[in-house]
């Protein structure tokens, strides 16, 4: 623990931790909890992560030359690392970003919901986002199909700021049809990912799917509040609902969700402290 | 919690034209360079902005923020050297301000920091080894960028201060941009002090936005 870090070596060591048996955000968070103040390179020795160093240097160079990004990292212990990430139950020690880092310190609200929204759901998203933009609040979402896409695009069309917290590494896109949107956000706004490059590349899509709900926890941690527009009882969006409550963040649920008798989650989360939104001003007045 | 300092390495060296990973340059935080008033409450931005506040603001209410930023920097460096317990190995040298001492805009903020650091660490060796011969425009205001040679030609080493100087020298500046001033200062020290090793500590490194998107304001959005 010398107090000096070489960021690229920390990335290589962190990516190597991900290659350990049954690695997960939970397991890695436990490692750092047991070794407070440690960095990835304190946990592994150089011979262990050396092989990943050149891989990571290539990945970074390719992001610079192919994507025209300046990729960067946020690592616990540096002045840029946002303290609010520590409110997560399993805080991420290291995450990647490209774009305007300033936005991560701005007042922000996450807008999330189903990948298959109703027309009303999309309209409500657009109206709410417009209002948030008018109040200079950064709109955060997960770049998925449906509500997420509507949230990002409305923020941009209304001249506001947006952050995409994605479930793929910075050099991948899901879904493919959002490739232009992701690129635009990276270059004009802020793109964040906690997903390790090497691990993602080495396993198949079934295992990689597990990264998507993890990013919802981070999205909740970096924002003041989460708003759920529409979601089914089995939606991944509810991971974020649970995280928001756990992390002491405000959770807003649109009244229309309560009116849908086919689902039970809205009243469940209302009992846990979520705020029912009858008027969008309910959100502005509570953040 | 102690704060980590970052080395310029393969992740960031391409952002600083004259610097590569072998140069031994270190920074505490990232400082955005974009349109003014667009920093959304980023406290790191305010910190550096206040630290660099021009001397012509002296006497205005905002001036106190500069003093606070200087104190914050003393704390930051002090914490760093206490953790390393190696301050006795180095001579600490500020990269000189762009103006000469008699200029009304002369700003020795980094000297103030190092003087404050030395007061708290009796083994610290702080020297204003390098002086500016003629006033230069601050690099962020200049219309042309001076070359390393031009910057170096405008520096002189204070010969009275060389004696007893330690072999390992750290140059200090607030923001690392292209690295030209660091390279010029290092070059003149190496000429005057045989066999010295020179490294750089910066409060922040300047981070440019991603290269401009090819769509301008009038272009239809690509999605």
């Amino acid at each position: 623990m010398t107090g000096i870090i070489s960021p690229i070596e920390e990335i290589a060591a962190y990516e190597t931790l991900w290659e350990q048996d049954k690695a997960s955000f939970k397991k890695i968070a436990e490692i750092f909890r047991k070794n407070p103040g440690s960095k990835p390179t304190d946990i592994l020795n150089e011979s262990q992560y050396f092989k990943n160093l050149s891989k990571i240097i290539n990945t970074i160079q390719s992001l610079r030359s192919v994507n025209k990004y300046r990729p960067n990292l946020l690592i616990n212990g540096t002045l840029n690392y946002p303290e609010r990430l520590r409110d997560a139950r399993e805080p991420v020690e290291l995450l990647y970003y490209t774009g305007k880092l300033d936005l991560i310190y701005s007042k922000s609200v996450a807008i999330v919901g189903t990948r298959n929204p109703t027309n009303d759901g999309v309209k409500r998203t657009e109206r709410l986002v417009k209002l948030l933009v008018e109040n200079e609040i950064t709109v955060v979402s997960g770049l998925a199909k449906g509500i997420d896409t509507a949230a990002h695009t409305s923020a941009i069309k209304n001249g506001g700021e947006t952050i995409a917290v994605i479930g793929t590494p910075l050099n991948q896109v899901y879904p493919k049809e959002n490739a232009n949107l992701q690129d635009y956000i990276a270059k004009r706004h802020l793109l964040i990912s906690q997903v390790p490059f090497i691990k993602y590349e080495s396993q198949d899509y079934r295992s990689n799917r597990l990264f998507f709900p993890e990013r919802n926890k981070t999205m909740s941690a970096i924002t003041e509040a989460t708003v759920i527009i529409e979601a089914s009882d089995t939606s991944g969006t509810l991971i974020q609902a649970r995280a928001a409550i756990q992390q002491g963040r405000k959770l807003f649920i649109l009244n229309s969700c309560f009116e849908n008798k086919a689902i039970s989650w809205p009243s469940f989360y209302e009992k846990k402290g979520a705020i029912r939104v009858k008027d969008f001003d309910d959100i502005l007045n509570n953040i | 919690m102690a704060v980590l300092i970052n080395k310029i390495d393969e992740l960031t060296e391409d952002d600083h034209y004259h610097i590569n990973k072998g140069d031994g340059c270190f920074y505490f935080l990232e400082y955005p360079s974009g349109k003014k008033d667009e920093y959304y409450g980023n406290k790191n931005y305010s910190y550096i902005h206040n630290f660099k506040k021009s001397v012509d603001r002296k006497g205005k209410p905002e001036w106190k923020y500069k003093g606070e930023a200087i104190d914050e920097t003393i704390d930051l460096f002090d914490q760093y050297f206490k953790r390393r317990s190696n301050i006795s190995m180095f001579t600490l040298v500020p990269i000189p301000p762009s103006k000469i001492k008699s200029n009304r805009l002369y700003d020795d903020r980094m000297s103030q920091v190092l003087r404050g650091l030395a007061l708290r660490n009796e083994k610290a060796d702080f020297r204003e080894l390098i002086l500016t011969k003629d006033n230069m425009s601050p690099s962020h205001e200049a219309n042309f960028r001076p070359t390393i040679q031009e910057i170096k030609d405008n520096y002189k080493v204070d010969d009275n201060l060389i004696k007893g100087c330690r072999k390992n020298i750290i140059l200090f500046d607030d923001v690392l941009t292209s690295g030209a001033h660091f390279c010029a200062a290092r070059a003149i020290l190496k000429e005057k002090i045989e066999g010295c090793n020179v490294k750089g500590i910066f409060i922040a490194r300047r981070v440019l936005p991603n290269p401009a998107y090819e769509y301008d304001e009038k272009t239809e959005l690509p999605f």
Side-chain angles (χ1 to χ4, degrees):
Chain A
M1 285 183 253
T2 60
I4 297 180
I5 62 166
S6 163
I8 202 90
E9 287 181 18
E10 296 304 332
I11 296 174
Y14 181 75
E15 296 266 345
T16 307
L17 285 176
W18 268 101
E19 291 182 332
Q20 293 181 348
D21 195 28
K22 297 193 177 124
S24 64
F25 286 105
K26 189 175 176 199
K27 277 202 148 188
I28 289 176
E30 270 166 21
I31 293 173
F32 287 100
R33 195 174 296 132
K34 284 181 192 148
N35 298 276
S38 292
K39 314 180 296 290
T41 53
D42 296 324
I43 287 161
L44 297 173
N45 60 47
E46 199 178 345
S47 64
Q48 289 172 296
Y49 65 80
F50 185 74
K51 62 179 170 52
N52 280 336
L53 199 52
S54 56
K55 273 193 203 170
I56 278 301
I57 291 171
N58 286 339
T59 304
I60 296 296
Q61 280 168 352
S62 154
L63 275 163
R64 281 184 178 268
S65 59
V66 179
N67 301 74
K68 311 282 183 214
Y69 294 168
R70 290 191 170 85
N72 215 329
L73 84 164
L74 289 166
I75 180 168
N76 188 22
T78 58
L79 284 174
N80 287 103
Y81 182 87
E83 271 306 305
R84 41 190 182 184
L85 283 169
R86 303 315 290 175
D87 293 339
R89 179 175 275 188
E90 290 136 15
V92 283
E93 286 294 307
L94 185 157
L95 35 86
Y96 303 99
Y97 74 89
T98 188
K100 274 197 262 185
L101 181 64
D102 295 307
L103 296 180
I104 208 167
Y105 312 106
S106 68
K107 193 168 190 184
S108 61
V109 168
I111 308 287
V112 290
T114 175
R115 282 173 290 164
N116 301 298
T118 61
N119 284 339
D120 281 347
V122 172
K123 278 183 199 148
R124 287 183 185 113
T125 306
E126 289 169 350
R127 283 200 342 255
L128 173 58
V129 166
K130 186 163 185 281
L131 189 69
L132 292 172
V133 167
E134 282 165 6
N135 285 275
E136 297 187 349
I137 293 166
T138 300
V139 174
V140 182
S141 198
L143 208 97
K145 240 176 73 177
I147 298 296
D148 288 19
T149 300
H152 291 302
T153 51
S154 319
I156 293 166
K157 284 174 183 163
N158 286 291
E161 291 291 3
T162 189
I163 302 175
V165 183
I166 57 175
T168 64
L170 293 183
N171 59 359
Q172 303 287 330
V173 184
Y174 186 85
K176 289 282 172 236
E177 60 262 34
N178 275 349
N180 281 338
L181 179 60
Q182 177 166 321
D183 196 41
Y184 189 92
I185 290 172
K187 286 171 180 162
R188 285 280 184 91
H189 303 276
L190 177 62
L191 183 68
I192 295 178
S193 170
Q194 68 197 88
V195 181
F197 295 101
I198 296 172
K199 181 76 175 182
Y200 189 93
E201 205 183 326
S202 70
Q203 61 184 16
D204 73 9
Y205 72 95
R206 285 183 298 263
S207 308
N208 281 334
R209 274 195 307 222
L210 298 173
F211 287 124
F212 285 87
E214 295 293 338
R215 65 94 149 77
N216 287 94
K217 301 173 191 172
T218 299
M219 213 193 298
S220 169
I222 64 167
T223 50
E224 333 263 316
T226 288
V227 184
I228 301 182
I229 305 282
E230 273 183 351
S232 71
D233 273 338
T234 54
S235 172
T237 302
L238 300 184
I239 302 271
Q240 189 155 337
R242 192 167 63 196
I245 297 286
Q246 269 172 7
Q247 296 165 3
R249 302 291 189 268
K250 296 264 167 64
L251 174 64
F252 296 99
I253 301 170
L254 297 199
N255 192 48
S256 48
C257 297
F258 291 89
E259 289 165 349
N260 180 352
K261 296 301 167 208
I263 53 174
S264 60
W265 65 265
S267 53
F268 176 80
Y269 282 103
E270 192 179 31
K271 281 185 202 114
K272 295 204 173 259
I275 299 166
R276 185 195 289 231
V277 179
K278 292 185 174 158
D279 186 311
F280 288 149
D281 283 340
D282 297 344
I283 299 173
L284 292 177
N285 293 337
N286 274 288
I287 52 171
Chain B
M1 187 181 157
V3 166
L4 300 172
I5 194 170
N6 304 274
K7 182 176 190 263
I8 296 288
D9 63 13
E10 289 91 341
L11 184 70
T12 50
E13 60 181 355
D14 289 352
D15 291 343
H16 306 284
Y17 187 76
H18 297 296
I19 302 296
N20 63 53
K21 62 172 178 162
D23 286 324
C25 286
F26 301 86
Y27 60 97
F28 287 95
L29 57 90
E30 319 258 351
Y31 176 71
S33 171
K35 274 187 248 167
K36 277 185 180 165
D37 307 324
E38 251 203 12
Y39 296 100
Y40 310 97
N42 179 354
K43 64 178 173 16
N44 293 320
Y45 175 79
S46 321
Y47 163 38
I48 300 295
H49 181 76
N50 287 330
F51 187 80
K52 291 166 78 77
K53 199 176 280 292
S54 170
V55 174
D56 64 8
R57 316 307 292 166
K58 206 171 192 164
K60 301 217 181 327
E62 63 192 85
W63 183 249
K64 69 166 186 205
Y65 297 117
K66 188 176 178 99
E68 287 172 10
I70 288 172
D71 289 344
E72 197 175 326
T73 310
I74 296 171
D75 288 343
L76 184 66
F77 289 180
D78 188 39
Q79 192 185 35
Y80 170 73
F81 281 107
K82 292 237 160 76
R83 186 171 182 181
R84 301 282 293 164
S85 331
N86 65 355
I87 204 165
S88 61
M89 284 174 60
F90 304 102
T91 287
L92 315 176
V93 178
I95 290 181
S98 53
K99 301 284 186 273
I100 59 172
K101 280 192 180 176
S102 58
N103 189 288
R104 84 183 167 85
L105 292 179
Y106 173 73
D107 183 352
D108 67 344
R109 54 190 184 255
M110 195 47 84
S111 288
Q112 292 179 45
V113 168
L114 297 177
R115 209 170 283 126
L117 181 68
L119 282 173
R120 294 193 199 173
N121 295 272
E122 57 176 23
K123 289 181 179 159
D125 178 40
F126 155 59
R127 298 171 193 232
E128 282 181 328
L129 265 180
I130 309 171
L131 303 168
T132 305
K133 288 191 223 166
D134 287 312
N135 295 318
M136 300 185 275
S137 295
S139 52
H140 57 275
E141 286 172 14
N143 290 325
F144 76 101
R145 302 259 159 185
T147 63
I148 293 173
Q149 187 62 45
E150 284 163 347
I151 299 168
K152 180 172 165 252
D153 289 345
N154 195 37
Y155 284 162
K156 64 181 175 205
V157 167
D158 187 340
D159 293 324
N160 302 319
L161 294 178
I162 292 179
K163 200 180 165 200
C165 181
R166 293 169 184 165
K167 186 170 170 248
N168 297 305
I169 297 174
I170 303 178
L171 286 167
F172 288 85
D173 206 351
D174 42 25
V175 180
L176 174 65
T177 53
S178 73
H181 290 81
F182 169 79
C183 290
R186 178 179 60 186
I188 199 164
L189 288 178
K190 284 190 170 273
E191 262 176 32
K192 289 280 189 173
I193 304 169
E194 213 183 306
C196 67
N197 300 316
V198 183
K199 299 209 160 144
I201 289 184
F202 302 82
I203 306 171
R205 73 178 192 93
R206 178 264 277 126
V207 182
L208 292 167
N210 276 323
Y213 205 66
E214 55 207 275
Y215 300 86
D216 68 25
E217 305 298 336
K218 289 178 198 134
T219 316
E220 210 171 301
L221 293 170
F223 42 81

